Amino acid sequence: MHEGEPLVRRIAAAAAQAGADPVVVVLGADAERIAPALTGVASVRIVLNRDWSEGLASSLTTGLSAVLEDPACDAVLVTLVDQPLVDAAALKRLVAAFGGERRIVASAYSNTIGVPAVFGREHADDLMRLTGDAGAGSWLRSRPSEVTSVPLDAAAIDIDTLSDAAPFASTLLDRG
């Protein structure tokens, strides 16, 4: 929870406000418990990653496959639920930077690039070949010359464990 709202609901709503349509939310473990938090969020489509235990790449592949069912889809915004300070305004900046010759836009934070990011459809096959815990971030960092980076310090806060949350607890509480 952040600012009284489940993280999954916050980021799904932010993606919708940034123009993503549909907003595909990939759920794995505890899907039945998490899915109700998305009720009423515009344009949300929930897809189940049955291979969630295989790592991040399986969730990325599941989400990309669902989004790319629409042949009119030109690009995909990939974001995570565990970056609580990423909001609609941040995602809109990424979407606005997409286009032109470089069809990859990534967040720049903590001296690196990563997600949230926008990928042109032509990059989907490469992303779907990732395996294990290799997510889009590692793929982005392997091709920095192809990426338009957008400063997004909010993305540096990534909460994967309780110990990850500890240094930011006052930040999260102060913002809510």
Side-chain angles (χ1 to χ4, degrees):
M1 294 281 265
H2 177 49
E3 298 182 346
E5 192 172 33
L7 294 178
V8 68
R9 183 178 183 82
R10 286 179 56 81
I11 198 62
Q17 291 167 15
D21 187 14
V23 174
V24 172
V25 177
V26 179
L27 299 179
D30 300 317
E32 297 81 25
R33 185 174 58 85
I34 297 167
L38 296 163
T39 301
V41 179
S43 306
V44 167
R45 176 178 170 207
I46 297 172
V47 294
L48 183 61
N49 176 11
R50 298 187 192 288
D51 299 323
W52 61 267
S53 63
E54 292 181 16
L56 295 172
S58 67
S59 289
L60 181 60
T61 298
T62 298
L64 287 171
S65 296
V67 170
L68 296 174
E69 288 174 0
D70 179 355
C73 176
D74 183 49
V76 178
L77 169 64
V78 175
T79 190
L80 305 173
V81 70
D82 62 358
Q83 294 173 311
L85 302 182
V86 172
D87 59 14
L91 297 178
K92 284 179 184 180
R93 288 198 325 266
L94 293 170
V95 171
F98 181 79
E101 291 182 26
R102 288 192 174 173
R103 300 214 354 120
I104 306 170
V105 176
S107 301
Y109 51 89
S110 301
N111 298 315
T112 192
I113 56 173
V115 292
V118 182
F119 302 92
R121 182 184 190 99
E122 64 274 18
H123 299 291
D125 287 341
D126 284 346
L127 290 165
M128 292 195 310
R129 282 194 277 276
L130 296 172
T131 59
D133 269 335
S138 61
W139 184 87
L140 286 164
R141 289 184 288 278
S142 72
R143 51 188 38 80
S145 65
E146 299 173 45
V147 177
T148 299
S149 62
V150 174
L152 190 60
D153 290 339
I157 296 178
D158 180 350
I159 300 174
D160 293 325
T161 66
L162 288 175
S163 62
D164 291 342
F168 306 107
S170 64
T171 303
L172 296 175
L173 294 173
D174 289 346
R175 292 179 54 96

